[in-house]
Amino acid sequence: MNSPIATLVRRYFSAYETQDRTVLEDLLDERFTFSSPLDDRINRAAYFARCWPNSRTLRRFTVEKIFDQGDEAFIRYEAESSTGKKFCNTEWLRFQGGKLIEVQVYFGRDTRPATPVPALVPTVRMADWPATAALFPR
């Protein structure tokens, strides 16, 4: 069963998926601040100028876990961009009076399957190093 805070969290991510700025504007408190490794406590206006344009490049959010207590929630999710890039982040959200007042984002890793990395050094054979080979007779 979803708590009221979990429902608000899902509304927040849904606004990005549907690119519905009106939903987000209604959800964010006038005193809203946003922090991430790229932003340090930017206000609501700066958030809409810097962060909201990313809604055009994000296709889906899959919320994996929501831990909420009181008016706070900690969320782990996987996001997928319109190009298929997937990444995992966590966010701490704080609400007050049903409005989102603060978000802190912690960037995670790219979650696409790893691609093999070609060897940077060709395979070395003992025969290529006769002096070393002599140290390790078979």
Side-chain angles (χ1 to χ4, degrees), residues 47-63:
Y47 172 80
F48 278 113
R50 290 185 199 174
C51 303
W52 178 249
N54 291 325
S55 69
R56 291 187 300 263
T57 65
L58 296 168
R59 178 184 311 157
R60 177 177 22 258
F61 286 89
T62 303
V63 175

Side-chain angles (χ1 to χ4, degrees), residues 14-134:
S14 177
Y16 270 88
E17 289 178 327
T18 61
Q19 297 180 28
D20 192 338
R21 182 175 167 147
T22 303
V23 168
L24 201 54
E25 287 175 348
D26 290 343
L27 185 60
L28 301 187
D29 190 88
E30 291 299 320
R31 299 165 294 160
F32 174 79
T33 60
F34 178 87
S35 298
S36 77
L38 303 176
D39 306 286
D40 187 21
R41 296 186 56 80
I42 62 174
N43 66 19
R44 180 185 159 112
Y47 172 80
F48 278 113
R50 290 185 199 174
C51 303
W52 178 249
N54 291 325
S55 69
R56 291 187 300 263
T57 65
L58 296 168
R59 178 184 311 157
R60 177 177 22 258
F61 286 89
T62 303
V63 175
E64 296 173 347
K65 294 284 183 186
I66 298 177
F67 301 97
D68 63 281
Q69 183 174 5
D71 286 337
E72 300 177 1
F74 191 74
I75 299 90
R76 183 180 73 212
Y77 61 86
E78 181 181 70
E80 182 179 352
S81 74
S82 55
T83 63
K85 179 181 178 184
K86 293 182 179 181
F87 57 93
C88 188
N89 283 351
T90 58
E91 296 191 14
W92 173 77
L93 287 76
R94 184 168 62 94
F95 294 86
Q96 191 171 60
K99 296 283 190 174
L100 185 55
I101 195 162
E102 183 177 3
V103 172
Q104 293 181 22
V105 177
Y106 302 91
F107 293 163
R109 66 178 184 83
D110 184 334
T111 59
R112 290 177 294 180
T115 55
V117 177
L120 299 176
V121 178
T123 304
V124 177
R125 297 173 305 174
M126 290 299 264
D128 295 334
W129 300 88
T132 304

